[in-house]
Amino acid sequence: SVRARVTQWADARFGAGTTRVRSNESRLAQAAQGILLFKLFMGAITGISLLVGGIGIMNVLLASVTERTREIGIRKAMGARKRDVLWQFLAESVAVASLGSGLGVVLGLSGAFAITAIMRSRLEGMQIFASVSWSTIAVAVCSALFVGLVFGTYPARRAAGLDPIDAIRHE
């Protein structure tokens, strides 16, 4: 509406068609599109990272199930139920994911503060600071725990489904 009024005023003052009024709407739309593209790109990288981390957790737990087959067999022979073994390995999965997420948060925050400190020292006069919100940290930790729980389910179910006699005989 402002552009229309300015165009109307300029046409009345200088004659119709002699002036052209521009606004930054197209630049603003282009910047918004760039920000959206950046968010989608970072979301894709985050998704791939979570998938790779989940596969890593699953591999660690599958190796743990294989190495501890006799232990699982002895526990089941002593009266442990499927549910007990399942919860044991799910707890282990969540513990591995918790350790990983805690380490990730510490390294991420350290990196962010270090990089902004370096930028402040190199760009004299620029006041650049890392911004941290507790909700972002909570989402990151909860996502890691969820990935640990989801990817730990298969190894836990595999361990819980072992036959005690076959598991005890396992070498």
Side-chain angles (χ1 to χ4, degrees):
S1 67
V2 171
R3 184 174 56 190
R5 290 183 69 197
V6 169
T7 302
Q8 185 181 28
W9 175 82
D11 286 347
R13 176 135 185 176
F14 302 110
T18 58
T19 60
R20 191 167 74 178
V21 178
R22 292 185 180 176
S23 68
N24 287 332
E25 289 175 352
S26 63
R27 289 183 185 169
L28 184 62
Q30 189 177 18
Q33 186 179 12
I35 290 171
L36 176 65
L37 185 64
F38 180 74
K39 285 180 180 180
L40 291 174
F41 179 70
M42 292 306 290
I45 289 175
T46 302
I48 291 169
S49 298
L50 287 173
L51 180 67
V52 169
I55 290 171
I57 288 172
M58 188 166 54
N59 284 338
V60 166
L61 287 176
L62 283 171
S64 178
V65 168
T66 302
E67 290 174 4
R68 296 163 57 191
T69 301
R70 289 188 88 174
E71 172 195 332
I72 296 165
I74 292 169
R75 281 195 69 205
K76 289 184 88 171
M78 298 287 292
R81 298 170 296 202
K82 275 186 162 186
R83 181 177 59 189
D84 298 329
V85 176
L86 181 76
W87 282 110
Q88 173 189 349
F89 280 92
L90 283 178
E92 199 172 303
S93 172
V94 170
V96 169
S98 298
L99 182 66
S101 70
L103 188 62
V105 166
V106 168
L107 288 175
L109 291 175
S110 300
F113 287 117
I115 288 170
T116 55
I118 291 169
M119 289 174 70
R120 278 194 308 274
S121 70
R122 302 274 182 193
L123 304 171
E124 296 163 6
M126 295 285 282
Q127 294 299 313
I128 299 172
F129 298 98
S131 175
V132 179
S133 73
W134 289 107
S135 62
T136 302
I137 293 173
V139 166
V141 169
C142 289
S143 297
L145 294 179
F146 179 73
V147 165
L149 194 61
V150 168
F151 281 88
T153 301
Y154 173 70
R157 290 187 64 163
R158 186 171 171 188
L162 288 175
D163 181 49
I165 296 171
D166 292 336
I168 290 172
R169 280 193 223 154
H170 186 264
E171 290 295 324

